[in-house]
Structures are given as structure tokens and as C-alpha cells.
Amino acid sequence: VRFTLGGKEVVTMAAVESDQRRSARHAATREEIIAHAVDIMGTQGVVGLTLSELARRIGVRTPSLYTYFNSKNAVYDELFRRGWQETLDHHRALVERLGPVGPDTDLVARALEVTTANIRWHLSRPAYAQLMLFRPIPDWEPTPDAYAPAVTFAELAFEEFTSWREAGLVRADTDIFELNECIVNATTGLTSRQLSNDPGTPYDQGRHTPHWPALITAVVRSYLP
């Protein structure tokens, strides 16, 4: 119950609990919408996602969705943000487990482990990968907030490659931007081919993924002293 006492609004515990329940229901419905969006995009592609289908799946009329997302692009934004945030968290945990780069680091083995983990992640989440790696929606770009985890991921990758040079593991004249671009282009290209030509197949059973170790090894070795 809410009432005014002495010119001030008084909120009772019942009102607080009601607000908490309402907030919890709102959050739960948002999660349900996201789950259905991932399912639709996973089977019908990004362009197969419609607000009318999302509304049908959660049992409401289409205008009711605007209570949770103000547009279909807002749904794309949230998926993009979540995908990159999860990728970022996964990458940080892996790098922490591997430890810092040093003069004795096996650079080929490290690069293979980090990049393979990235490829595995995207192949296991094709709905997210469509938004994160490609531009399937001509009139949509992620908002700065949604793009922020991707920027942080790119910065960490650049720091990783810079540490290779600082540790003397690659040539002193190595262009870090070029090294970054080569590895990103290779991983994205491999992921794209696998998703396009062998969709739904796990990394270990893929048509193209068996050749990844040879490709990343060749790229890394081309920069060794």
C-alpha cells in the first residue's frame, strides 16, 4: 500500500514486495522472449525472427512486446550484447587459466587453444554467431552499449598479441594490427565456412574444422623470429 503522510509518500512492505514480484515477472518474460528469439534464429535464420511470432510463442498480442523491448532491433541488440559478453567472459577465464605470456611460452599451442575455444563457442551458438560475426540485417547496427563487450574483447586480443612481441616470441618488427587482422580473418572465415556448409555439426565432427590446427599454425609461424 502506498499513501501520503505529512506530505511524504509512505510505501509499505506489501508495496515493496509487489514491486519486486512485478520486476521478477518482467525479467522472466524478457528471458523467455530471448530464449524464443534464439530458437527461431537457430532454425530459421536472423531474418526469420518476427515480433508476431515472438508474441505468439509467449501468448500475448504483438503490441504487448513493447513492454519488454521497444523494437525488434532492441531484441537484436540484447542478443548481440549477450553473445559478446559471454564470449568475453569465456576468453578471460581461458587466458587466466593459461597464465601470462613469457619467453618460454609455446606460442603455437597457445594460439591454437585460444582460437579453437573461440570457434567452438560460435559453432555451438549459431543464432548468436549470425549477429556477432556477420551483418545479416541491412538496417541494423548494434548500439554502443550492445557493442561495448565486443570492443573490450578486441582490446584484450590486441593486448595478447602485443605481449607476444614484448616477450620476444614474434619478430620485433611485427605489425600487431596486421597480426590481429590475420588471426581474426582466419577464425571468422573458418567459422563462416563451417556454419554455411556444415551447420549444426560440432567442431570435432566438422568438415572444415579438422584443418584449423594447420591453418593457425601457419599463420603464427609466419611471424616467429
Side-chain angles (χ1 to χ4, degrees), residues 44-57:
Q44 302 178 37
V46 173
V47 294
L49 180 65
T50 64
L51 293 181
S52 59
E53 177 60 16
L54 284 175
R56 185 191 70 79
R57 291 195 178 202

Side-chain angles (χ1 to χ4, degrees), residues 41-211:
M41 290 166 51
T43 57
Q44 302 178 37
V46 173
V47 294
L49 180 65
T50 64
L51 293 181
S52 59
E53 177 60 16
L54 284 175
R56 185 191 70 79
R57 291 195 178 202
I58 66 172
V60 301
R61 298 181 64 183
T62 301
S64 298
L65 288 179
Y66 295 112
T67 304
Y68 309 97
F69 294 96
N70 60 22
S71 66
K72 185 166 66 171
N73 282 354
V75 178
Y76 290 141
D77 260 13
E78 180 60 11
L79 289 167
F80 186 93
R81 184 195 67 77
R82 290 186 183 209
W84 275 110
Q85 186 62 55
E86 188 175 333
T87 301
L88 176 60
D89 293 342
H90 183 73
H91 176 76
R92 280 173 167 161
L94 175 57
V95 171
E96 183 178 355
R97 179 175 63 80
L98 293 175
V101 171
D104 298 326
T105 297
D106 184 337
L107 200 55
V108 171
R110 184 182 178 97
L112 178 59
E113 184 162 1
V114 173
T115 56
T116 299
N118 196 321
I119 294 171
R120 285 181 182 275
W121 191 95
H122 283 102
L123 293 182
S124 66
R125 297 162 179 80
Y128 287 98
Q130 295 173 71
L131 289 175
M132 294 166 64
L133 302 181
F134 316 116
R135 283 292 179 268
I137 310 160
D139 62 344
W140 172 79
E141 289 186 4
T143 61
D145 285 345
Y147 201 67
V151 173
T152 302
F153 181 88
E155 291 171 346
L156 290 181
F158 212 81
E159 289 176 8
E160 167 77 14
F161 301 140
T162 300
S163 72
W164 293 7
R165 187 173 63 186
E166 292 175 346
L169 299 175
V170 295
R171 296 191 309 274
D173 64 348
T174 294
D175 183 333
I176 300 301
F177 179 79
E178 179 189 88
L179 172 59
N180 178 76
E181 285 296 293
C182 287
I183 291 181
V184 170
N185 289 340
T187 55
T188 303
L190 186 283
T191 303
S192 175
R193 291 199 71 196
Q194 184 67 29
L195 288 174
S196 299
N197 301 324
D198 206 7
T201 303
Y203 178 94
D204 295 318
Q205 302 170 23
R207 182 187 309 174
H208 306 291
T209 46
H211 308 294

